Amino acid sequence: MKASEDSIRSVGLTLLYEPDEPNDPTVDIILVHGIGGHPVRSWKTSTGATPLPPTPSSTIHLTTPRKKLKKTPPTNTLRRSNSEPLLTSGQRPASRARSFLRKNSFKSSSRLRLELLEPPETPVAPIPELYWPLDFLPSSCPTARVCTWGYHTLRVDNKPLPLQNDVFAHARELLEELAEARAASNGAARPIIFVAHSTGGIIVKELLRLSELERDGPLKEIILSTSGVVFFASPHRATEHCTLLDAIKSMAGATSQMDPQDSVLQQLSGAHSLLAELGRQTFVRLWNDFNFRVKTFQESIIPTYRFRELRVEATIRRLASFIGDPRENAETIGALHDDLCKFASPDDHGYRALASTLTRMIDSEQEKRHVLTSKETECLAALVRPHSTLSETHPATTYPGTCLWLYDLHEFAAWHHRSDNNKNKILWIKGQSGCGKTILLKSLRRRLERQWAPAGASFIWTTAEGHDTTTPFSSGTSQQHQVNPANVYRSLLAQLFRQDPGLRKALLTLHSKHQGDFDEALIVSFFADDYIDQRIQTPTRRTFLFVDIPDDACPAYVEELVCRLSQLARNSDFSICVASAVHHNIEEANTISIVMHSRNTDDILRYVNLNLVAEWEDRNQTVMHLGQKAGGVFLWAEIVVNILNAAIAEGASQDLIDYTLAELPGDLFGLYEWMLSTLNDAERAESLVLFQWALLAACPLRLNDLLLAIRLTDPAPLSAYSRLGPFMALAAGCPSSLRDLRPLRNSEITSDTPAQFHRWLRARSIGLLELQPSSPNEPLGLQRIHPIHSSVRSFFLSARGFACLAPPNQLLSTPEEYLDLAHYTLLAACLRYLNMRDFDQHLTSTTTQNQRTLVLSSYPFLGYAAHSLLFHMLSPRFFRYFFPQREVLLAFSANRMRLWRRWTAVLGTAEPEEVMGRLDEGGGGVVGGLLSPVFGARFRLERKVVHDTGQEPDDDDDEQRVDEPACESPEHRGDECGESNGQQV
């Protein structure tokens, strides 16, 4: 739909063009003229003659002697700046030539008296009137909605009337009218591109400032929806030649054709108002904050001016219309100030530059609506690992009133508002383990989401992991804390895939070249060598990246990651925030560092003061002592408060509390050791098994699975380890039954209900383990066990925790031995469960998928035992590098291949490739890493276990037997064990 020129109102908002339905407009383009302008004539080429040729006869020049121009007698005719004068009877409009002469007859700043020579009679060629917002723009931007806005500036005798609205009042009018019109057309969230001429730029800046001050609602939507601003010779700054006031006066005089020294005109144009400077400063901040696009066009110095003062005026306007930021990509147009935005042809240089700018802005907004093609979806699926988590899984749980200190820091404000030289720097939050870095990072994300999500900002969260790029897998780790340095880059690329068209194109090429295989080396190489080394532009105006680096990551890995993220920040408009432990040897210039444990003391004191239940008179002294001893570690204070509250509830006196507080270690690991030392020998044995399963399982176990796993596990494995060594893990023993499992000894449990077992878990873990539901109403037995903090995992994986729970006379020599022994113990528990008689009638080679699903849901821990068996077999160093082929073959083929048949029946296949695929899938992708050529186990395992036993024997076929029984001792052999005794494989 296109409006007619006659229907355009001189005051208010007028819709010029709108795409026909069902096409939804991509953007709204709003034209705003300068003071004294008109919504049509400010953008329209004039009727009559072509511009005068630059000959001396048609040039304004200085004569001697100088003659003073005579003023015409006052007519007292009321004129509107944006319309024809209101003519009285008998009056005739002034000719264009006379208006042109009068326009150039105003006094200059030096008040020179100029002589104007009448131009000679020169033949002129008529040109048509062309209004490019209607005649050209719909063809150049067919998906845009085009509007123009006008306002009056009343005058008498070519002087403005006082007591009119100034440009700042007009900005409020435009803001309210625009918000109302967009709401009426269901386009409140549609992107906006402002095109402003001269002092119309002041109106646009003030409009954006007023919109940002709103808390919410339609008026706030204007700044949130602003996609770009195009300025035609608008005043932006002071220069070495003039002040901002001089530039505004000169531009106002040029567009209104009134004396720029008129005090009323200066007041109406905002030349003397502090709001002009405030609007300038605010606009730069909003530009950095909201990252909309800005383009400036400047008038060029016309060489036909023979008078220095006139050339200076043009130079002042030209320099003042330059913001001074390379992002604006300023261009000049060879025209006078008032004619800068008037184009006679679509091929006009100025119009081509404008159309190109608007097209880029519109294309950027259309890119946000991009729907992934089938090839792009396939590429993204290959990039994302099946078991990878692209964003945080657990919400922040900040204590009320904490984490607020961050937002008052100058360093944070500089990063947040991207001010000065901080536009492309990383905010690096450092702190000791347990001080609350991850909580602060999540709290910051939630706060920024509330502020920037309505503006269409993007939020990307990823957790870094790994020690360095040469360590593919660490001993004793599992899927829940798997080490893979490439995962952080894979996660970032996958989350940026939808919003970065350049990244999509590059990854599609890479996907086609490598047949869809994005291995780890390729991901790291592409991110480090290709992606971050080029300028990155996305249609999303603000993108926040949050990277949480674990405390146990080694300095080399942290330094490499921060360096690459710093390069990413330099070549993009992304706001990147990183949280990690303190690494004093790492220095990166492109970062803003905040040391958290030196700033959150007030948060800790607030928490302790509100939660410590002590009521004695010197309570404040106890609170201060506890807060100071915490040393900025919030987790330490939280645990100690719980310990002291429990003691106070049991009647502990103030002296006992003060003594306990003085005796408690001041570091987290020391505190954990002190807590474990409160357990007796039997409780330590049970706690050892509990922490082995909680921290070394291939994936976090459900509460019901953990109960059965602990009952299956030998609480004293060192005796068997001393006799059999690593092969203790493969001694599955004779088939048994669930009725034969040991009860939990010396415990408060009287039945096996989830609630009672949960109480036992909290007591044996001394509060270091917790349940985390995956959904709000998930049953207690299906919730998974996690450590309360990553420092608990680090404490045990360093073997310091396992050594605290081990019997004093059975300590091992190295930390790796504790982890290897734990995996041997867990592997033996899995084999023992798979070897039970309870599943004989339920799992056979003919079991259907539905029946298998029913069995797995009926027997807790069965699915984990089958899918994670290989993980625990290959995690110990000895089995990983020296795979026990013969022993594994004997274990799986014993008792007429009972264990092998049970295992493959649970997996649902006996085919070698399918077995490996399902093990890797069920183990969260960890088994695939263990079977990589780095460890050399895949070939031997497939050759000796799968291929040699690929065909299941019939139940009555006794030809293939083993020459060794699977039982540990002859006295425990049953009939099933005796069947295999003395037979050959």
Side-chain angles (χ1 to χ4, degrees):
M1 184 275 294
K2 183 185 292 187
S4 63
E5 188 174 326
D6 296 336
S7 64
I8 299 175
R9 297 180 296 169
S10 60
V11 176
L13 195 66
T14 303
L15 177 62
L16 301 180
Y17 169 77
E18 185 174 24
D20 296 331
E21 294 184 358
N23 297 325
D24 183 28
T26 305
V27 299
D28 285 344
I29 299 178
I30 311 297
L31 307 176
V32 183
H33 62 76
I35 191 168
H38 187 271
V40 175
R41 285 193 295 274
S42 291
W43 316 98
K44 183 178 181 181
T45 54
S46 303
T47 305
T50 56
L52 299 175
T55 60
S57 60
S58 64
T59 305
I60 304 173
H61 61 87
L62 193 62
T63 62
T64 306
R66 298 170 181 164
K67 297 180 181 181
K68 185 176 181 180
L69 293 176
K70 294 182 179 180
K71 288 187 176 180
T72 57
T75 60
N76 295 326
T77 302
L78 180 63
R79 291 174 177 266
R80 294 195 300 260
S81 65
N82 53 4
S83 67
E84 295 294 339
L86 302 179
L87 301 180
T88 59
S89 176
Q91 289 181 323
R92 297 179 58 191
S95 66
R96 178 172 176 80
R98 190 175 301 276
S99 298
F100 176 80
L101 294 177
R102 184 168 62 251
K103 175 182 176 181
N104 290 278
S105 66
F106 297 134
K107 297 177 182 179
S108 66
S109 59
S110 60
R111 299 186 179 274
L112 291 178
R113 292 174 296 179
L114 307 179
E115 180 186 62
L116 301 178
L117 298 180
E118 292 290 340
E121 296 290 336
T122 304
V124 294
I127 58 174
E129 292 185 340
L130 294 173
Y131 182 47
W132 61 265
L134 269 180
D135 297 331
F136 308 154
L137 197 56
S139 300
S140 302
C141 306
T143 62
R145 191 169 178 261
V146 184
C147 300
T148 185
W149 186 75
Y151 56 97
H152 281 163
T153 304
L154 300 178
R155 70 177 81 184
V156 173
D157 292 337
N158 210 36
K159 292 184 177 181
L161 292 177
L163 303 179
Q164 301 183 62
N165 284 342
D166 59 10
V167 290
F168 306 108
H170 290 314
R172 169 63 69 175
E173 294 172 358
L174 174 57
L175 175 63
E176 295 176 351
E177 187 174 358
L178 183 59
E180 181 180 356
R182 285 163 57 86
S185 63
N186 297 323
R190 187 182 301 123
I192 306 174
I193 300 175
F194 291 100
V195 179
H197 174 232
S198 189
T199 51
I202 301 178
I203 295 178
V204 172
K205 293 178 184 179
E206 178 67 8
L207 174 147
L208 297 178
R209 188 185 72 85
L210 294 174
S211 177
E212 194 228 1
L213 294 177
E214 298 289 331
R215 292 183 58 88
D216 50 27
L219 299 184
K220 183 70 173 183
E221 285 292 336
I222 300 301
I223 181 63
L224 299 179
S225 302
T226 300
S227 174
V229 183
V230 179
F231 293 109
F232 280 101
S234 296
H236 296 301
R237 62 171 185 165
T239 69
E240 59 181 348
H241 304 290
C242 69
T243 64
L244 181 61
L245 165 65
D246 296 328
I248 294 176
K249 291 192 300 183
S250 178
M251 294 181 183
T255 55
S256 64
Q257 299 185 8
M258 290 184 281
D259 186 359
Q261 301 300 328
D262 188 281
S263 60
V264 177
L265 179 63
Q266 294 177 13
Q267 182 269 328
L268 296 179
S269 60
H272 292 290
S273 175
L274 295 178
L275 291 178
E277 177 62 23
L278 179 60
R280 182 193 69 81
Q281 297 176 4
T282 304
F283 179 78
V284 174
R285 178 177 60 81
L286 295 178
W287 186 7
N288 291 328
D289 281 356
F290 292 89
N291 202 30
F292 45 75
R293 289 163 174 78
V294 175
K295 176 71 174 181
T296 58
F297 291 100
Q298 304 169 278
E299 61 179 299
S300 62
I301 301 177
I302 306 300
T304 55
Y305 284 153
R306 294 182 58 185
F307 304 116
R308 179 176 176 274
E309 287 75 10
L310 296 179
R311 292 199 302 272
V312 168
E313 288 287 326
T315 303
I316 287 175
R317 294 193 297 265
R318 177 176 181 270
L319 296 178
S321 63
F322 177 63
I323 300 177
D325 192 305
R327 293 176 295 171
E328 64 183 314
N329 192 22
E331 294 186 41
T332 60
I333 296 178
L336 295 169
H337 183 81
D338 198 34
D339 297 330
L340 191 70
C341 56
K342 299 176 181 178
F343 309 117
S345 167
D347 297 326
D348 189 294
H349 167 72
Y351 180 77
R352 289 203 308 270
L354 172 64
S356 176
T357 299
L358 294 177
T359 299
R360 287 195 299 270
M361 293 180 179
I362 294 173
D363 289 345
S364 177
E365 294 299 332
Q366 287 180 329
E367 185 63 38
K368 295 180 182 179
R369 306 181 180 185
H370 177 77
V371 178
L372 296 183
T373 64
S374 58
K375 290 185 177 180
E376 291 172 342
T377 303
E378 181 182 352
C379 178
L380 180 60
L383 184 63
V384 179
R385 292 300 189 194
H387 300 274
S388 61
T389 302
L390 295 183
S391 60
E392 60 171 321
T393 56
H394 300 290
T397 55
T398 56
Y399 188 79
T402 60
C403 298
L404 300 180
W405 54 267
L406 174 66
Y407 313 117
D408 296 329
L409 297 180
H410 170 73
E411 295 90 337
F412 172 78
W415 172 81
H416 183 205
H417 298 299
R418 307 173 68 243
S419 58
D420 301 330
N421 298 323
N422 301 300
K423 295 178 182 178
N424 302 103
K425 288 190 175 182
I426 294 177
L427 181 65
W428 192 355
I429 301 175
K430 306 176 182 179
Q432 298 178 4
S433 180
C435 67
K437 301 182 297 296
T438 301
I439 295 296
L440 178 64
L441 200 64
K442 293 180 179 181
S443 174
L444 173 59
R445 173 179 174 172
R446 289 196 305 173
R447 184 185 180 97
L448 294 178
E449 281 181 337
R450 290 195 299 267
Q451 180 179 355
W452 292 101
S458 174
F459 301 89
I460 293 175
W461 176 284
T462 186
T463 300
E465 53 190 25
H467 294 264
D468 53 57
T469 55
T470 62
T471 305
F473 202 88
S474 293
S475 175
T477 58
S478 59
Q479 186 269 338
Q480 52 181 314
H481 44 93
Q482 178 186 357
V483 176
N484 191 336
N487 278 355
V488 62
Y489 307 119
R490 185 184 295 275
S491 175
L492 290 175
L493 293 175
Q495 295 182 74
L496 290 169
F497 186 83
R498 294 180 181 275
Q499 71 181 59
D500 189 348
L503 175 63
R504 287 200 300 269
K505 182 178 179 181
L507 286 178
L508 280 174
T509 302
L510 208 63
H511 181 263
S512 176
K513 180 179 179 181
H514 293 272
Q515 289 79 42
D517 183 18
F518 288 128
D519 58 26
E520 313 305 328
L522 183 62
I523 290 295
V524 174
S525 175
F526 172 78
F527 186 90
D529 301 333
D530 298 329
Y531 184 61
I532 64 175
D533 276 346
Q534 59 184 349
R535 182 62 189 171
I536 301 170
Q537 293 183 341
T538 67
T540 306
R541 289 194 288 274
R542 198 73 190 266
T543 299
F544 293 93
L545 270 66
F546 303 92
V547 182
D548 189 16
I549 304 178
D551 294 331
D552 58 354
C554 79
Y557 172 71
V558 176
E559 183 176 17
E560 179 184 71
L561 177 58
V562 171
C563 180
R564 289 171 177 170
L565 292 176
S566 176
Q567 183 69 12
L568 176 63
R570 289 191 187 96
N571 289 331
S572 69
D573 293 324
F574 300 157
S575 298
I576 304 177
C577 183
V578 175
S580 76
V582 178
H583 299 279
H584 298 287
N585 297 328
I586 300 178
E587 296 291 339
E588 176 58 47
N590 195 44
T591 60
I592 301 174
S593 297
I594 297 177
V595 181
M596 183 175 178
H597 59 263
S598 64
R599 296 182 181 270
N600 66 343
T601 302
D602 290 342
D603 285 355
I604 294 177
L605 290 175
R606 176 185 176 86
Y607 172 82
V608 174
N609 186 47
L610 294 177
N611 288 273
L612 187 64
V613 297
E615 297 179 354
W616 48 74
E617 294 182 0
D618 297 336
R619 181 181 184 275
N620 290 339
Q621 184 177 355
T622 305
V623 171
M624 292 298 298
H625 185 196
L626 197 156
Q628 292 173 359
K629 192 167 185 177
V633 181
F634 202 102
L635 179 61
W636 187 95
E638 187 177 358
I639 293 175
V640 170
V641 166
N642 292 334
I643 293 174
L644 298 183
N645 284 343
I648 294 173
E650 295 177 0
S653 64
Q654 178 183 355
D655 293 338
L656 180 59
I657 294 298
D658 291 339
Y659 175 80
T660 303
L661 183 58
E663 291 296 319
L664 286 175
D667 63 298
L668 269 182
F669 281 14
L671 180 62
Y672 295 157
E673 285 185 346
W674 182 89
M675 296 168 67
L676 293 175
S677 67
T678 62
L679 300 175
N680 59 39
D681 293 341
E683 292 170 342
R684 288 182 186 178
E686 293 181 340
S687 294
L688 178 62
V689 176
L690 172 62
F691 280 107
Q692 285 176 343
W693 278 112
L695 300 174
L696 297 179
C699 61
L701 289 175
R702 300 185 187 274
L703 187 65
N704 290 340
D705 294 342
L706 180 63
L707 172 60
L708 191 58
I710 292 177
R711 296 181 63 187
L712 285 164
T713 307
D714 184 2
L718 284 174
S719 58
Y721 183 70
S722 60
R723 291 186 295 106
L724 302 176
F727 302 114
M728 59 164 282
L730 301 176
C734 299
S736 59
S737 173
L738 291 174
R739 295 187 297 270
D740 302 330
L741 295 181
R742 69 177 182 91
L744 294 178
R745 299 168 298 174
N746 301 322
S747 66
E748 300 85 355
I749 290 187
T750 57
S751 65
D752 294 339
T753 64
Q756 292 173 330
F757 180 64
H758 184 216
R759 290 198 299 270
W760 178 90
L761 182 145
R762 286 161 50 186
R764 291 297 173 267
S765 68
I766 54 175
L768 298 183
L769 298 177
E770 64 180 358
L771 291 179
Q772 293 181 0
S774 57
S775 60
N777 298 320
E778 187 174 35
L780 186 65
L782 300 182
Q783 297 180 23
R784 297 185 182 273
I785 291 86
H786 294 267
I788 61 171
H789 188 260
S790 61
S791 60
V792 176
R793 177 179 293 116
S794 301
F795 174 65
F796 278 92
L797 292 185
S798 65
R800 189 171 173 179
F802 290 127
C804 291
L805 297 175
N809 58 343
Q810 296 180 349
L811 296 179
L812 302 177
S813 58
T814 63
E816 289 78 9
E817 286 190 76
Y818 285 102
L819 302 181
D820 289 347
L821 176 60
H823 281 291
Y824 296 144
T825 306
L826 305 185
L827 173 61
C830 293
L831 290 175
R832 182 184 178 189
Y833 194 42
L834 290 174
N835 199 35
M836 288 190 170
R837 296 187 296 266
D838 301 69
F839 315 122
D840 288 344
Q841 57 182 348
H842 303 300
L843 292 172
T844 64
S845 59
T846 60
T847 303
T848 64
Q849 179 61 37
N850 292 336
Q851 293 172 332
R852 187 181 304 106
T853 302
L854 180 60
V855 172
L856 293 178
S857 62
S858 303
Y859 290 92
F861 189 66
L862 181 58
Y864 176 89
H867 288 97
S868 303
L869 183 147
L870 196 56
F871 165 76
H872 292 296
M873 186 181 297
L874 296 178
S875 290
R877 293 170 303 161
F878 179 79
F879 281 4
R880 190 188 313 159
Y881 293 102
F882 306 98
F883 188 76
Q885 305 172 45
R886 178 176 179 274
E887 289 75 10
V888 170
L889 178 60
L890 292 176
F892 274 87
S893 59
N895 303 323
R896 299 175 61 188
M897 304 183 68
R898 176 192 186 89
L899 192 57
W900 168 259
R901 294 199 305 270
R902 179 68 46 72
W903 186 43
T904 54
V906 175
L907 295 177
T909 182
E911 294 297 324
E913 292 299 330
E914 293 184 10
V915 168
M916 294 301 172
R918 296 189 183 184
L919 288 176
D920 192 41
E921 179 182 355
V926 182
V927 176
L930 291 173
L931 291 176
S932 65
V934 175
F935 306 108
R938 184 183 189 93
F939 172 76
R940 293 193 296 273
L941 183 69
E942 287 184 346
R943 184 171 182 269
K944 290 296 182 182
V945 178
V946 183
H947 287 303
D948 287 359
T949 59
Q951 299 295 331
E952 288 188 7
D954 297 331
D955 291 342
D956 55 354
D957 185 6
D958 296 335
E959 295 181 1
Q960 294 186 351
R961 304 291 172 87
V962 295
D963 58 351
E964 293 185 14
C967 300
E968 286 191 42
S969 57
E971 58 269 23
H972 290 95
R973 296 174 186 168
D975 296 337
E976 292 175 290
C977 298
E979 293 177 2
S980 61
N981 191 20
Q983 302 297 324
Q984 301 294 324
V985 177

